[in-house]
Amino acid sequence: MPAHEHPARPKRRDAALNSERLVQAAREVFARQGLSATLEDIAEQAGVGVGTVYRNFASKREIVETLYDEAIDSALADVRSALEIDDPWSAVVTFFEVTAASQARDRGLSETLLGHGGLGPRADTAEKLVATLTPLFDRAVTAGVLRAGVTTTDVLPLFAMLNAVYGMSDANPDLWRRYLALLLDGLRATDRPALPVPALDLASFTAAFSAGA
Amino acid sequence: MPAHEHPARPKRRDAALNSERLVQAAREVFARQGLSATLEDIAEQAGVGVGTVYRNFASKREIVETLYDEAIDSALADVRSALEIDDPWSAVVTFFEVTAASQARDRGLSETLLGHGGLGPRADTAEKLVATLTPLFDRAVTAGVLRAGVTTTDVLPLFAMLNAVYGMSDANPDLWRRYLALLLDGLRATDRPALPVPALDLASFTAAFSAGA
DNA sequence: TCGTAACCGGAATATCTTATTCCGCTTACG
DNA sequence: CGTAAGCGGAATAAGATATTCCGGTTACGA
């Protein structure tokens, strides 16, 4: 908020409370149901009427932007903090596990990052993502722990795949870990033949990343 | 068509032609765009008006049923024909490749099988699917080529994952093969630790299978 | 070549869904 | 207490898309 804000009269106490409740409710509902959740779902979760939603946000889009604006930065931060792990392979594994765990926990987040919601990631995000991932992957390649041919552009398809499993079974919320383990085994250096079909090139990656579904 | 059909007067030639065109058009459009394709898309592809669609089918649902009624049986047939391959591991690989290839080629098909369209698979289909897959997997286990703990219920998540990649890049229509290879490597017997998190049990599998998205 | 029943195209209509607006009623608080 | 800030939620606006309808065409048998 602008620094020159009129301290004016503060919000009425009940209004301020509703405001907080709404943000919290939006987080929970989007996390559980994804970005296609209804404003009425959110209002109900917050225990208020839809009118109150609009007294706090100009539109649904604004709510989504408010909540997930830093989503991508946060994902990039996960990459960087994985780089602090000494063992190159552990770092890769940790990156995937931490990132996937956030997405499994928050369907709105994964939709935002995969562009399945309305507003796809901004155009330059793809490049930034690749740039950030490069050190992590390079180090693993140098150490000889990453399978030949695996590149940074593989992460989009890999997360898209995991995304398909997140909510599959209410009884097994951690089911995705099983398939992530499978994928990581395939990603690890082996004496097996190289993968068929090359990874996406940068152009295709960017296109796919900005496309969504 | 009933055997006691009045030979009556045959359809007008143009009408018969349109009929064929429509079925063909529906196949193409559903394959390309998935079951959410519009009846108008189909009519346009066939070069007719929407009215004509309704002179041939009572509803959109009927079109989908007509086209994908045998989809599941066909998938089951793929399993059985994979069983005719002598090498147990090749059989598993072939099953995945053949089945995934059909689905990559036809988005309507994969949506039907994964229940992403309107009409999910019928209730008893899950059991039938598991029953059919069992010999294929059992043989691979006996031969010691399948990783410990991998079961028939893994196929649903695995195909769901592949489904997320099928249309990802127009420039690389075969990209899915790259990730299928990765998954198959993980599925193959190794001396690596067992997978974390068990596979779905039958009840969860059935539930997930009938759920869709 | 005609007459006409069978067919057509595609605009109009019926439904749904969900975002967004509005307004009469409440309530916090000076 | 008075009243402006807030509120709930019905009403409205819009966008999709399945389905219906009907005036205009066309195949085809006589």
Side-chain angles (χ1 to χ4, degrees):
Chain A
M1 39 190 83
H4 53 51
E5 199 87 288
H6 278 221
R9 64 208 65 189
K11 264 192 190 174
R12 250 167 63 169
R13 204 173 305 148
D14 55 344
L17 182 59
N18 281 338
S19 222
E20 284 174 45
R21 275 179 178 159
L22 267 174
V23 174
Q24 183 55 27
R27 266 191 225 295
E28 288 170 19
V29 170
F30 281 143
R32 180 156 16 93
Q33 312 183 35
L35 301 184
S36 66
T38 278
L39 290 192
E40 227 166 283
D41 293 335
I42 293 174
E44 183 180 27
Q45 168 77 32
V48 304
V50 275
T52 299
V53 175
Y54 280 90
R55 227 160 286 108
N56 286 277
F57 299 97
S59 65
K60 179 177 179 176
R61 160 175 291 257
E62 188 182 292
I63 304 179
V64 174
E65 284 173 349
T66 300
L67 294 185
Y68 294 109
D69 192 27
E70 304 126 15
I72 288 167
D73 292 324
S74 154
L76 293 180
D78 286 345
V79 182
R80 292 197 201 90
S81 80
L83 260 176
E84 288 170 15
I85 295 173
D86 287 327
D87 179 60
W89 179 247
S90 294
V92 170
V93 170
T94 300
F95 158 65
F96 275 101
E97 285 181 344
V98 169
T99 306
S102 325
Q103 295 187 21
R105 210 179 306 127
D106 188 339
R107 198 171 145 190
L109 178 62
S110 62
E111 287 179 7
T112 300
L113 294 176
L114 295 174
H116 288 208
L119 29 170
R122 280 153 280 161
D124 63 322
T125 306
E127 290 171 36
K128 201 182 302 181
L129 178 57
V130 167
T132 309
L133 284 167
T134 299
L136 184 69
F137 276 60
D138 277 355
R139 196 174 56 150
V141 167
T142 303
V145 294
L146 196 62
R147 183 172 187 158
V150 173
T151 81
T152 52
T153 59
D154 281 310
V155 300
L156 177 60
L158 291 171
F159 279 109
M161 293 170 82
L162 289 171
N163 182 52
V165 182
Y166 293 145
M168 183 164 276
S169 172
D170 297 326
N172 305 45
D174 278 349
L175 189 65
W176 61 270
R177 293 184 187 276
R178 180 175 174 86
Y179 301 100
L180 173 55
L182 219 52
L183 289 171
L184 286 172
D185 278 353
L187 250 28
R188 177 126 206 197
T190 65
D191 49 4
R192 292 191 188 124
L195 292 171
V197 189
L200 292 173
D201 58 41
L202 206 45
S204 303
F205 174 80
T206 305
F209 190 65
S210 309
Chain B
M1 40 189 81
H4 52 52
E5 199 89 286
H6 279 221
R9 61 210 65 188
K11 264 191 188 175
R12 253 168 61 169
R13 204 172 306 149
D14 56 345
L17 182 59
N18 281 338
S19 222
E20 283 173 47
R21 275 179 178 160
L22 268 174
V23 174
Q24 182 55 28
R27 267 191 225 294
E28 289 170 19
V29 170
F30 281 143
R32 180 156 16 93
Q33 312 184 35
L35 301 183
S36 67
T38 278
L39 290 193
E40 226 165 284
D41 293 334
I42 294 175
E44 183 179 29
Q45 168 77 30
V48 304
V50 274
T52 299
V53 175
Y54 279 90
R55 226 160 288 108
N56 286 276
F57 297 97
S59 66
K60 179 177 180 177
R61 160 176 290 257
E62 188 181 293
I63 305 179
V64 174
E65 284 173 350
T66 298
L67 294 185
Y68 294 109
D69 192 27
E70 303 126 15
I72 288 166
D73 292 324
S74 154
L76 293 180
D78 286 345
V79 183
R80 292 197 200 90
S81 80
L83 260 175
E84 287 171 14
I85 295 172
D86 286 327
D87 180 59
W89 180 247
S90 294
V92 170
V93 171
T94 300
F95 158 65
F96 276 101
E97 285 181 344
V98 169
T99 306
S102 324
Q103 295 186 21
R105 210 180 306 128
D106 187 339
R107 197 170 145 190
L109 178 62
S110 61
E111 288 180 5
T112 299
L113 294 176
L114 294 175
H116 288 209
L119 29 169
R122 281 153 278 161
D124 63 323
T125 306
E127 290 171 36
K128 201 183 301 181
L129 178 57
V130 167
T132 309
L133 284 166
T134 299
L136 184 69
F137 277 59
D138 277 356
R139 197 174 55 151
V141 167
T142 302
V145 294
L146 196 62
R147 182 172 188 160
V150 173
T151 80
T152 52
T153 59
D154 281 310
V155 300
L156 176 60
L158 290 172
F159 279 109
M161 291 170 83
L162 289 171
N163 182 52
V165 182
Y166 294 144
M168 183 163 276
S169 172
D170 297 327
N172 306 43
D174 278 349
L175 189 66
W176 61 270
R177 292 183 186 277
R178 181 175 174 85
Y179 301 100
L180 173 55
L182 220 53
L183 289 172
L184 287 172
D185 278 354
L187 251 27
R188 177 124 205 199
T190 65
D191 50 3
R192 291 190 190 127
L195 291 171
V197 190
L200 292 174
D201 58 41
L202 206 45
S204 303
F205 174 80
T206 305
F209 190 65
S210 309

